[in-house]
């Protein structure tokens, strides 16, 4: 078999196999069972809680969870605004980089707080090391926020005795159904150990880890080159493990110091996929419904492969327009790709990074084939085939609720999921959450398209026509999906894009978190109905097909016209 | 059964009524209740304005379009709304016709009002008020619903139930209700009026069907939200399409926008949604079940546990006495005499069967002069007589008798205990007979299980419903019959409060319980159950407590009610799936049509090879309109329910309505396009 494909396949399977034990470990961590990390991190956690005066055993209702979540996120946002707008005079700035403009700082703060890492700047010239380290901190806490939210949902779904909507509830979790507890444990027990491991491996493979400023290199021709460096290895580790995606350097994981070799590329592919998949398995271990978790995993994997395989084929086949010019395409469509990664891995990466909300890139998505671009867009539009750290399963949960509702009616029973009836209020919240993405993506793109029509001289688009449309669509989709990758080619560091995508980031992050938590809270407050022969089983292949159809239909119906005018029109034009 | 069912689905008179109603329903205040069709109505209004504007000379053809084409689109959208209204109106008309045919039986009839002095005066039945007493004799039509307070009569209820065999209704028991419109065949009764004019269950049901008091059921509300959500998605799609098209330098006419929108929103299910709900109640009525709310039918589909009385449901009629046994040292005839004497105060059919089993000669010579009768009650589970000479004779369930005997210090004879065990293990019901607290013998009662009943339970089990037999029998007998009939569980030696406790216990564990009952002592349990079906022959209290009334007094009706409930939900679910799946084909018809002219590359998306952009849009709109009336029969009849398990059912419906929903419109739109192009 082609070694390029073999490499991709090997790292994919390797990640899935390791995700299983990690999932078991995550489930144990959230349910408060003993793990081997207790003696190492237990004292640190207790110190944190003592200093902050938080009682991790204090049970919370879903409303209290959300209050805690939104409060700490708001504090981080303010702090980040301060750091980014004052970097110039703050310490750790050996290269003397300037502070950010208010609109760029707004966009960047939100972008890192919401785990998106859309970057309208380049790290080399746009941030001091303090700024980089502060953003690295956000890469930890934003990922932990998502994971803690998933833990809240797991706990809500596990509840069998009806919980009160207001006032302290009695969850079954021995570890304390407390947001701060889940949050801190996500950091200390999961993200931190894995990050240290990945960072060390990155360091040994050539990524810099230093606080010294730019290095000067004299090239073979005798000219002097200034090379930016910094604490890159540590940054890259959490950038992928937390599905953040924000690059230390502007070129992200295509940069030779951020991703020096094929091996580091494999490591980064592993790092970004492992936690989202492990969270799905953790769902099964936590609820003791492994079959359900496997069904969800199966649907996600099929969805992922249906996007990834065509992309690998498109990119390896090369661009017919370039072939027509007589240029050799045996390596695939190599425009915008790094030769050390190759077409197959870059195609695989482009889908992995978009289905999961990482958004790191090792190749230029702008230069991929039109339908590859469409698949990248679809990955972000669905945002639930694995999905981001913790939030992926929350997004999937919304599709699941809609599927449960329609399927429940089709078998002649009031729909129920895990023994709880799904009724009008849950459907309403699920629909609002599901509606938000098309509203933000299509609405945002419509406004930008309208502005382009009003003033075609706007310096936004490098490419007119269908491709330019795709660039705008991609940017809005990436912001809504909290992905952070860019199609690039779009002049996005200006007030319109900074502010509009900032708003999309906020809504696209918090509404899909609030929705599932609210549904979980409502379900937890309902009476548990034991499963009978007439109950629709949700852990079957049949129901998997149902969820897949719901995801496919909702996505197709919402975005078909936009995709037709962007990548599809482009595809038929060059075909 | 009722004669209406034999007629076809579409009767001309009903169609005429429904057509007129569907025009009246265009009133926006009414349309507002159905968000999907309301937006279509708005679209229709917009097209009317556009058509008028485009007819003026000097109109802007680029945005307003061709007036003739606009007019055709306007007409098609108008028809779409009308078809949806027609579906609802037609379902209403059918339900009303069915209810009316039942109500016709109770047109004004003369009633003989019983005055305080004991004399009667003839008034019209519509003047009767609750609490009034009336008299009926052989040949009279019963003027209104009532409860017999005196007497016994055979009554022909065929007008209501379609069953020609007369039934006996009498005061005191659980069969004391009479229904207006039925005919007294023999004897004389005095009955008390139980309903105010215009407030009978039938009246309530007609109001429910007519829509005045029809409330959306919980699942209907949830589904409406889902559909509204989908409608909003397409609002977003259609509004954002305008700047997209501007960016791509493609002018799109208003007609095309409106057509795209109307085709995409789930009009099929939106148009049929209320018809499906009404049809559910109507199907219940066709099964001769009056429902007090649409919610009750829906809940029936969710039932997990079914409580069934053994007698009449699982076994034919009542147990009958089949044998007498005497203890050693007692003559069999003495046992028979004691049995008969103690059963004289037992009005239950079992008690009567004991008297019937004893030879008439024996009965004739018995005298109860000066004796005190001790009536049978469900609580004591014994009946008896204290004779003038002080002899105390009792007969009753063996455990009660055993207590009675042992309390008096007497032993329960071995041989009778053996007989009792033998009777029980053979599915019979043993009764013990005592004279002065000494056991003299036993009576054997036998049950006959209804043919075909175990197949019905099997079907219920496949539907995921647990069946529970409720019986006053001892556990041994109950177990024998339960096994033989194939029920999942039983409550033996049941007292009325046992039913209630069982229901509460199941409900606490989260299950939904249905039961059927007729007696006043069933009323609390009927009210507690999630679905309580009262028999029409039952007491007024039972009928008030339940949320359905079965006119046929058929205890197995619950099974049909459950299926009707399931069909109702399934029809909604499958048509929603169908409606949304349709959009795939509509997109492939309309999107290329919108952009083909300015972006030739997109003609590759025209996979149906539709003739022209205009014909493509027209075909999609026509298909969208026609599919509504085409599915009316399905909406009214309901999707067929098969007890094959939930997953298999989902596979089947996903295949038929999901895959079918994708394929059918591709074929339909292509076919319509071929026809439409003949006019181009």
């Amino acid at each position: 078999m082609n070694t390029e494909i073999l490499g991709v396949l090997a790292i994919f399977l390797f990640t899935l196999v390791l995700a299983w034990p990690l999932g078991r470990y995550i489930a144990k961590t959230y349910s408060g069972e003993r793990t081997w990390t207790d003696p190492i991190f237990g004292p640190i956690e207790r110190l944190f809680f003592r200093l902050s005066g938080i009682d991790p055993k204090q049970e919370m209702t879903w409303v209290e969870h959300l209050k805690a979540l939104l409060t700490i996120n708001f504090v981080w946002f303010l702090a980040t605004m301060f750091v980014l707008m004052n970097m110039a005079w703050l310490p750790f700035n050996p290269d003397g980089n300037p502070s950010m403009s208010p609109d760029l700082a707004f966009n960047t703060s939100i972008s890192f707080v919401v785990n998106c890492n859309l970057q309208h700047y380049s790290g080399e010239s746009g941030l001091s090391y303090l700024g980089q380290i502060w953003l690295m901190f956000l890469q930890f806490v934003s990922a932990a926020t998502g994971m803690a939210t998933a833990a809240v949902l797991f706990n809500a779904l596990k509840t069998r005795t009806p919980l009160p909507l207001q006032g302290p509830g009695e969850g079954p979790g021995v570890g304390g159904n407390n947001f701060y507890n889940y949050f801190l444990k996500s950091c200390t027990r999961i993200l931190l150990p894995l990050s240290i491991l990945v960072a060390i491996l990155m360091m040994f493979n050539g990524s810099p880890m230093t606080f010294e400023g730019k290095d000067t290199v004299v090239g073979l021709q005798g000219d002097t080159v200034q090379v930016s460096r910094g604490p890159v290895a540590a940054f890259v580790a959490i950038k992928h493990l937390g599905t953040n995606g924000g690059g230390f350097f502007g070129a992200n994981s295509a940069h030779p110091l951020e991703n020096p070799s094929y091996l580091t590329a494999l490591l980064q592919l592993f790092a970004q996929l492992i936690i989202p998949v492990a969270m799905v398995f953790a769902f099964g271990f936590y609820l003791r419904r492994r079959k359900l978790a496997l069904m969800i995993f199966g649907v996600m994997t099929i969805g992922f492969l249906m996007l990834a395989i065509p992309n690998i084929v498109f990119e390896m086949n090369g661009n017919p327009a370039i072939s027509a010019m007589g240029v050799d395409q045996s390596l695939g469509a190599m425009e915008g790709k790094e030769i050390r990664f190759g077409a197959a891995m870059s195609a695989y990466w482009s889908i992995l990074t978009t289905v999961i909300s990482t958004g790191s890139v090792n190749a230029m998505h702008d230069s991929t084939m039109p339908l590859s671009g469409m698949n990248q867009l679809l990955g972000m539009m669905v945002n639930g085939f694995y999905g981001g750290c913790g939030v992926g399963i929350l997004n999937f949960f919304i599709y699941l609720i809609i599927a449960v509702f329609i399927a429940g009616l089709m078998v002649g029973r009031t729909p129920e999921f895990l023994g709880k009836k799904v009724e009008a209020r849950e459907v309403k919240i699920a629909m609002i959450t599901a509606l938000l993405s098309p509203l933000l993506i299509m609405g945002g793109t419509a406004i930008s398209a309208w502005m382009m029509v009003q003033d075609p001289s706007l310096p936004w688009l490098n490419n007119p026509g269908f491709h330019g449309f795709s660039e705008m669509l991609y940017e809005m989709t990436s912001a809504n999906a909290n992905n952070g990758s860019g199609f690039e080619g779009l002049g996005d560091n200006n007030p319109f894009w900074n502010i509009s995508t900032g708003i999309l980031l906020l809504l696209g992050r918090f509404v899909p978190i609030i929705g599932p938590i609210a549904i979980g809270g409502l379900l937890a407050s309902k009476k548990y109905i034991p499963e009978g022969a007439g109950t629709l089983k949700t852990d079957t292949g049949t129901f998997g097909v149902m969820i897949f159809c719901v995801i496919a239909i909702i996505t197709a119906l919402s975005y078909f016209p936009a995709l037709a005018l962007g990548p599809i029109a482009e595809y038929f034009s060059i075909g | 059964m009722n004669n209406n069912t034999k007629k076809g689905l579409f009767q001309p008179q009903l169609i005429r009524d429904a057509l007129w109603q569907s025009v009246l329903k265009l009133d926006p205040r009414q349309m507002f209740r159905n968000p999907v069709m309301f937006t279509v109505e708005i679209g229709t209004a917009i097209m009317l304005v556009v058509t008028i504007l485009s007819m003026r000379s000097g109109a802007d053809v680029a945005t307003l379009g061709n007036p003739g084409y606009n007019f055709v689109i306007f007409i098609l959208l108008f028809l779409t709304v009308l078809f949806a209204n027609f579906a609802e109106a037609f379902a209403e008309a059918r339900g009303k016709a069915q209810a009316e045919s039942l109500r016709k039986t109770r047109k004004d009839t003369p009633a003989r009002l019983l005055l305080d002095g004991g004399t009667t005066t003839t008034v019209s039945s519509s003047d009767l008020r609750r609490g009034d007493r009336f008299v009926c004799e052989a040949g009279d039509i019963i003027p209104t619903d009532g409860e017999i307070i005196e007497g016994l009569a055979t009554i022909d209820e065929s007008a209501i139930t379609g069953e020609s065999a007369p039934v006996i209704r009498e005061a005191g028991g659980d069969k004391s209700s009479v229904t207006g419109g039925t005919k007294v065949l023999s004897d004389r009764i005095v009955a008390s009026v139980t309903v105010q004019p215009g407030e009978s269950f039938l009246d309530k049901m007609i109001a429910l069907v007519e829509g005045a008091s029809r409330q959306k059921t919980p699942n209907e509300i949830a589904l409406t939200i889902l559909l509204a959500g989908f409608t909003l998605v397409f609002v977003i799609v259609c509004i954002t399409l305008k700047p997209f098209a501007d960016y791509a330098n493609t002018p799109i006419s208003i007609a095309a926008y409106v057509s795209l929108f109307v085709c995409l929103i789930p009009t099929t299910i939106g148009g049929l949604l209320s018809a499906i709900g009404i049809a559910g109640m109507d199907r219940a009525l066709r099964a001769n079940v009056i429902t007090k709310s649409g919610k009750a039918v829906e809940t029936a589909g969710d039932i997990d546990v079914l409580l069934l009385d053994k007698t009449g449901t699982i076994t034919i009629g009542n147990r009958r006495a089949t044998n007498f046994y005497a203890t050693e040292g007692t003559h069999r005839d003495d046992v028979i005499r004691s049995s008969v004497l103690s059963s004289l105060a037992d009005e239950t059919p079992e008690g009567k069967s004991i008297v019937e089993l004893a030879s008439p000669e024996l009965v004739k010579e018995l005298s109860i002069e000066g004796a005190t009768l001790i009536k049978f009650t469900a609580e004591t589970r014994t009946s008896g007589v204290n004779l003038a000479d002080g002899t105390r004779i009792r007969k009753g369930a063996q455990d009660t008798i055993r207590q009675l005997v042992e309390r008096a210090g007497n032993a329960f004879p071995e041989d009778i205990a053996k007989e009792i065990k033998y009777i029980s293990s053979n599915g019979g019901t043993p009764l013990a007979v005592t004279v002065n607290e000494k056991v003299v013998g036993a009576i054997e009662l036998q049950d006959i299980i209804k043919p075909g009943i175990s197949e019905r339970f099997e079907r219920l089990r496949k539907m995921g419903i647990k069946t529970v037999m409720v019986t006053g029998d001892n556990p041994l007998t109950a177990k024998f019959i339960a096994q033989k009939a194939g029920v999942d569980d039983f409550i033996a030696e049941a007292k009325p409060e046992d039913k209630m406790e069982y229901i509460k216990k199941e409900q606490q564990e989260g299950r939904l319980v249905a039961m059927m009952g007729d007696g006043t002592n069933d009323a609390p349990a009927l009210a507690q159950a999630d679905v309580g079906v009262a028999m029409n022959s039952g007491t007024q209290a039972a009928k008030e407590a339940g949320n359905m009334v079965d006119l046929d007094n058929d205890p197995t009706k619950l099974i049909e009610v459950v299926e009707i409930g399931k069909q109702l939900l399934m029809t909604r679910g499958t048509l929603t799936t169908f409606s949304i799946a349709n959009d795939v084909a509509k997109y492939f018809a309309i999107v290329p049509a919108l952009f083909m002219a300015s972006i030739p590359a997109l003609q590759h998306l025209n996979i149906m090879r539709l003739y022209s952009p205009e014909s493509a849009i027209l075909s999609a709109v026509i298909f969208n309109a026609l599919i509504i009336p085409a599915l009316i029969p399905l909406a009214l009849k309901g999707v067929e329910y098969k007890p094959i398990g939930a997953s298999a059912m989902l596979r089947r419906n996903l295949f038929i309505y999901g895959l079918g929903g994708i394929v059918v419109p591709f074929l339909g739109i292509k076919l319509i396009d071929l026809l439409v192009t003949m006019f181009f």
Side-chain angles (χ1 to χ4, degrees), chain B residues 278-498:
Chain B
I278 300 163
M281 286 191 281
D282 180 46
R283 277 200 303 278
L285 192 54
R286 258 156 233 273
N288 265 357
V289 175
I290 298 179
T291 51
K292 294 200 209 159
S293 72
K295 192 182 167 205
V297 182
E298 199 177 280
T299 314
D302 286 344
I303 289 302
D304 302 294
V305 181
L306 204 54
L307 252 58
L308 295 163
D309 277 325
K310 184 197 76 178
T311 308
T313 311
I314 297 166
T315 57
I316 289 177
N318 302 300
R319 284 171 302 193
R320 299 195 61 83
T322 50
N323 213 342
F324 296 101
Y325 300 89
T327 182
E328 215 178 328
T330 314
H331 195 269
R332 194 165 174 269
D333 281 355
D334 290 335
V335 176
I336 297 174
R337 266 185 219 105
S338 303
S339 301
V340 170
L341 279 170
S342 60
S343 302
L344 287 176
D346 185 353
E347 280 186 29
T348 63
E350 290 89 344
K352 287 177 185 160
S353 78
I354 294 171
V355 180
E356 283 160 24
L357 180 68
S359 58
E361 299 85 62
L362 253 170
V363 177
K364 223 177 264 171
E365 62 193 59
L366 293 171
S367 151
I368 47 167
E369 277 281 327
T372 340
L373 292 176
I374 294 166
K375 278 205 160 199
F376 176 85
T377 67
E379 280 78 27
T380 61
R381 295 165 60 230
T382 53
S383 67
V385 63
N386 289 346
L387 294 181
D389 63 0
T391 318
R392 299 178 297 280
I393 306 176
R394 297 286 184 277
K395 75 116 231 283
Q398 52 103 5
D399 55 327
T400 349
I401 293 292
R402 188 187 284 269
Q403 280 173 17
L404 182 84
V405 170
E406 283 169 358
R407 213 180 304 124
N410 298 324
F412 200 88
E414 282 293 315
D415 55 343
I416 290 298
K418 230 187 206 166
E419 290 293 356
I420 280 173
K421 217 171 210 159
Y422 173 76
I423 297 168
S424 294
S425 59
N426 279 310
T429 309
L431 297 178
V433 187
T434 64
V435 176
N436 293 333
E437 288 81 41
K438 274 190 200 135
V439 177
V440 293
I443 310 169
E444 178 175 2
L445 302 177
Q446 274 293 357
D447 268 316
I448 303 160
I449 291 171
K450 276 191 178 175
I453 197 79
S454 56
E455 285 78 30
R456 302 202 82 169
F457 290 143
E458 186 54 39
R459 190 176 164 88
L460 281 167
R461 197 166 304 117
K462 281 191 187 142
M463 288 158 77
I465 296 170
K466 175 177 155 191
T467 44
V468 180
M469 178 179 87
V470 182
T471 170
D473 296 343
N474 65 60
L476 216 61
T477 317
K479 194 173 173 208
F480 181 87
I481 297 174
Q483 272 174 357
K484 212 163 146 193
V487 293
D488 300 312
D489 195 6
F490 59 88
I491 314 175
E493 294 172 347
K495 294 185 282 296
E497 59 266 28
D498 290 346

Side-chain angles (χ1 to χ4, degrees), chain B residues 8 15 94-95 100 104 123 210 230 318 333 374 465 574 676 679:
Chain B
I15 290 178
R94 258 166 60 94
E100 287 288 356
K104 244 177 235 151
V123 297
E210 275 173 341
F230 275 106
N318 302 300
D333 281 355
I374 294 166
I465 296 170
T574 50
V676 166
F679 299 96

Side-chain angles (χ1 to χ4, degrees), chain A residues 30-219:
Chain A
Y30 288 138
S31 59
E33 287 173 49
R34 292 196 60 81
T35 58
W36 58 271
T37 49
D38 285 356
I40 311 167
F41 296 106
I44 303 175
E45 287 159 8
R46 280 193 288 279
L47 182 68
F48 262 111
F49 286 128
R50 193 157 328 128
L51 289 178
S52 57
I54 291 167
D55 175 10
K57 293 206 162 53
Q58 171 86 49
E59 298 279 331
M60 287 182 169
T61 64
W62 66 270
V63 180
E64 288 167 343
H65 283 299
L66 288 177
K67 273 188 201 155
L69 182 151
L70 294 174
T71 313
I72 54 172
N73 274 278
F74 186 64
V75 172
W76 293 328
F77 168 72
L78 294 181
T80 312
M81 282 293 279
F82 174 78
V83 171
L84 295 180
M85 287 175 69
N86 297 284
M87 285 183 301
W89 59 272
L90 285 168
F92 297 111
N93 193 2
D95 295 336
N97 287 337
S99 300
M100 282 187 178
S101 68
D103 60 303
L104 181 59
F106 171 78
N107 186 281
T108 310
S109 303
I110 289 180
S111 167
F112 277 80
V113 165
V114 304
N115 191 254
C116 169
N117 303 12
L118 197 66
Q119 293 167 299
H120 290 174
Y121 65 91
S122 273
E124 297 93 324
S125 54
L127 286 175
S128 69
Y129 288 164
L130 180 73
Q132 293 280 23
I133 289 175
W134 184 262
L135 294 185
M136 198 165 91
F137 163 73
L138 290 181
Q139 292 189 330
F140 272 97
V141 294
S142 64
T145 301
M147 294 173 72
T149 316
V152 169
L153 180 69
F154 293 178
N155 189 280
L157 292 178
K158 195 176 192 177
T159 312
R160 290 206 171 175
T161 40
L163 285 186
L165 287 173
Q166 247 84 60
E170 284 173 41
V174 247
N177 180 25
N178 180 300
F179 181 78
Y180 297 111
N181 179 43
Y182 292 142
F183 169 74
L184 187 63
K185 278 188 171 168
S186 306
C187 286
T188 55
R189 301 301 178 95
I190 302 157
L191 293 171
L192 200 57
L194 284 169
S195 292
I196 293 172
L197 191 71
V198 173
I200 290 172
L201 288 171
M202 284 302 296
M203 232 157 64
F204 281 124
N205 282 286
S207 264
M209 187 66 202
T210 174
F211 283 98
E212 283 173 41
K214 288 192 176 80
D215 204 355
T216 309
V217 179
V218 181

